[in-house]
Amino acid sequence: MHPTAYQFVEALIQRMPPPRNVVEIGSRQVHGGVRILFPGAAYVGIDLVPGDGVDVVADAAHWRPASFVDVVVCTSTLEHVPAPRQLIRAAWEMLRENGIFILTTVTDGATPHSSADGGLLAKDEHYKNIGSGELADWLTRFRFFSLEYIP
């Protein structure tokens, strides 16, 4: 996780009530994670591969929690997903009414990097920077959203 993404999540959650339950999509900790920012919350980390920070190994596009959650977090993951729109739809379907989806991703100009270790991409590994226009389009199902660009 890029330090800027961590700082963004940290600043955001200081302005919201403490959530009771959180799902993190793409929770495997490559360079840190945000779980520590949600003390006291029931927290489920989901990822395609096992590792630190992963509670459930599954495809988040198809996995759902037993009940709706207050917060879904997805940091530094969307650019590694071949079908990011499906992942955003899944986040929407996990949230209770008035729940919060916290998303960070890279956009145009970012250097492609591996989800395994942040280094070079593996031969068949997917990576695509997310354009702000397409991201805004994918988020239209949310009643309110705010895009913040941090170069």
Side-chain angles (χ1 to χ4, degrees):
M1 164 184 300
H2 194 280
T4 305
Y6 182 90
Q7 292 164 2
F8 172 79
V9 175
E10 184 177 38
L12 182 63
I13 63 172
Q14 290 176 7
R15 300 187 319 246
M16 56 187 249
R20 293 182 311 268
N21 43 40
V22 178
V23 167
E24 182 180 4
I25 297 172
S27 64
R28 189 170 54 86
Q29 295 184 19
V30 176
H31 297 292
V34 296
R35 184 183 295 241
I36 194 170
L37 298 175
F38 297 90
Y43 201 101
V44 176
I46 180 169
D47 206 297
L48 289 172
V49 294
D52 289 343
V54 179
D55 302 303
V56 176
V57 176
D59 182 345
H62 306 291
W63 179 88
R64 297 296 178 272
S67 59
F68 295 115
V69 299
D70 297 324
V71 174
V72 174
V73 179
C74 183
T75 61
S76 305
T77 299
L78 210 58
E79 62 271 19
H80 300 284
V81 177
R85 179 177 279 204
Q86 289 179 342
L87 205 62
I88 289 173
R89 182 182 314 122
W92 168 259
E93 293 173 357
M94 292 179 199
L95 286 169
R96 67 165 173 78
E97 187 174 345
N98 297 319
I100 297 172
F101 179 36
I102 301 172
L103 171 69
T104 69
T105 189
V106 297
T107 189
D108 298 326
T111 303
H113 56 277
S114 174
S115 64
D117 61 7
L120 298 176
L121 288 175
K123 182 179 179 186
D124 293 326
E125 186 175 2
H126 174 82
Y127 181 91
K128 180 183 180 287
N129 290 332
I130 307 297
S132 59
E134 64 187 337
L135 182 58
D137 181 54
W138 299 338
L139 294 172
T140 57
R141 72 178 55 241
F142 292 88
R143 218 178 344 194
F144 170 81
F145 67 90
S146 174
L147 293 177
E148 181 174 341
Y149 175 74
I150 303 170

